[in-house]
Amino acid sequence: KQEVTQIPAALSVPEGENLVLNCSFTDSAIYNLQWFRQDPGKGLTSLLLIQSSQREQTSGRLNASLDKSSGRSTLYIAASQPGDSATYLCAVCTQGGSEKLVFGKGTKLTVNP
Amino acid sequence: DGGITQSPKYLFRKEGQNVTLSCEQNLNHDAMYWYRQDPGQGLRLIYYSQIVNDFQKGDIAEGYSVSREKKESFPLTVTSAQKNPTAFYLCASSIPGGQAGSPLHFGNGTRLTVT
């Protein structure tokens, strides 16, 4: 059974700092991995999707990497801003289609001005 | 703008009553999903539908029911058989599988409180 772990559960950093969020998964036979952002009381917003054949994806100040063999992904946020404060979740898909996404519990990020 | 609309945002019910949560999307997505989110836990899949008039149970379907009569709509009924219905419910949609996965689009959720 696929399990997804995100460490740390919470992270507080000063504005401007570069930071890395971690995601690990137990079954390396994945189709893709997705990173989401969730603001308090809101739904999830898709940030990046990395297909199993890819090593990384970039969007603006965000860069996500994937190492299937070690069961790890990282989300790198450059030059963090207070507006980046949110909970970041990763999810892995272990068969075709999003119906089998397994989510981690998320990392709550606080960027202090 | 295209998106997913969940209503209501907050819902209060007495124990023993069935309640239906609405989810409508105008993204022209074939696949729709219902997740439940509890504090300290990851999202858990309740039901999903890949096409109109068809749906499958997720990991925690007991005490829930769904219908998919229209492509745009995927309502979730929380029945009195659900032991712990108080939670944050999230609806999502995507282009269906077979394309090695596509990003999920989420609504803003419905917070259900049952007393």
Side-chain angles (χ1 to χ4, degrees), chain B residues 36 64 78-79 82-89 112-114:
Chain B
R36 169 180 173 143
Y64 299 98
V78 184
T79 76
Q82 168 50 233
K83 300 301 181 188
N84 296 294
T86 294
F88 189 50
Y89 291 88
L112 173 65
T113 302
V114 177

Side-chain angles (χ1 to χ4, degrees), chain A residues 30-45:
Chain A
I30 67 170
Y31 280 81
N32 63 68
L33 182 144
Q34 300 183 38
W35 281 94
F36 297 89
R37 167 187 174 135
Q38 185 176 30
D39 293 294
K42 301 288 188 182
L44 281 67
T45 300

Side-chain angles (χ1 to χ4, degrees), chain A residues 13-26:
Chain A
V13 301
E15 182 177 3
E17 189 164 300
N18 302 327
L19 59 100
V20 174
L21 306 180
N22 297 296
C23 173
S24 62
F25 46 95
T26 54

Side-chain angles (χ1 to χ4, degrees), chain A residues 32 38 43 51 98-99 101 105, chain B residues 37 40 45 100-102 104 106-107:
Chain A
N32 63 68
Q38 185 176 30
Q51 303 288 3
S98 298
E99 73 270 17
L101 275 180
K105 295 180 181 180
Chain B
Q37 187 175 35
L45 182 64
S102 60
L104 279 185
F106 281 84

Side-chain angles (χ1 to χ4, degrees), chain A residues 31-32 34 36 38 40-46 49 51-52 87 89 93 95-106, chain B residues 9 33 35 37 40-43 45 48 50 88 90 94 96-109 111:
Chain A
Y31 280 81
N32 63 68
Q34 300 183 38
F36 297 89
Q38 185 176 30
K42 301 288 188 182
L44 281 67
T45 300
S46 179
L49 182 152
Q51 303 288 3
S52 60
T87 297
L89 297 96
C93 180
Q95 74 177 52
S98 298
E99 73 270 17
K100 294 301 181 183
L101 275 180
V102 178
F103 283 82
K105 295 180 181 180
Chain B
K9 185 175 176 66
Y33 315 85
Y35 287 90
Q37 187 175 35
Q41 298 198 37
L43 274 69
L45 182 64
Y48 63 99
Q50 297 282 69
F88 189 50
L90 288 160
S94 72
Q99 300 183 28
S102 60
L104 279 185
H105 296 257
F106 281 84
N108 276 328
R111 186 166 299 281

Side-chain angles (χ1 to χ4, degrees), chain B residues 52-53 67-71 73 75:
Chain B
V52 174
N53 292 322
S67 63
R68 187 83 188 278
E69 298 177 1
K70 299 187 300 181
K71 186 176 184 178
S73 179

